[in-house]
């Protein structure tokens, strides 16, 4: 199964005001993995965290398992 999203992408930095909600949700989801030395290791491996906001123009999906 898969999906293809075609559109225009806008690069956002983690500090962008519109990213507060998504960053909080992401942190909540991965809280257990980021505890202890998890977050410092993550920050070391990913020094320039960024995101893309895609405005879709075309969406395609498929599932080869379905008959």
């Amino acid at each position: 199964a898969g999906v293809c999203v075609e559109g225009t992408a806008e690069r956002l930095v983690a500090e962008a005001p519109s990213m507060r909600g998504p960053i909080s949700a992401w942190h909540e989801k991965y809280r257990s993995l980021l505890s202890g030395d998890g977050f410092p290791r993550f920050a070391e491996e990913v020094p320039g965290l960024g995101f893309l906001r895609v405005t879709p123009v075309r969406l395609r999906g498929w599932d080869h398992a379905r008959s």
Side-chain angles (χ1 to χ4, degrees):
V3 65
C4 178
V5 179
E6 295 180 25
T8 304
E10 171 189 5
R11 192 169 70 180
L12 299 171
V13 294
E15 297 79 23
S18 61
M19 291 304 300
R20 288 187 182 144
I23 292 273
S24 293
W26 177 85
H27 188 267
E28 199 57 39
K29 181 177 181 176
Y30 296 105
R31 180 183 298 275
S32 63
L33 296 174
L34 298 173
S35 64
D37 69 339
F39 189 79
R41 286 185 320 148
F42 173 79
E44 185 177 296
E45 292 177 17
V46 184
L49 188 59
F51 301 88
L52 294 175
R53 175 187 295 144
V54 178
T55 303
V57 173
R58 182 176 178 198
L59 300 171
R60 289 180 287 151
W62 61 89
D63 185 352
H64 298 293
R66 293 176 43 181
S67 12

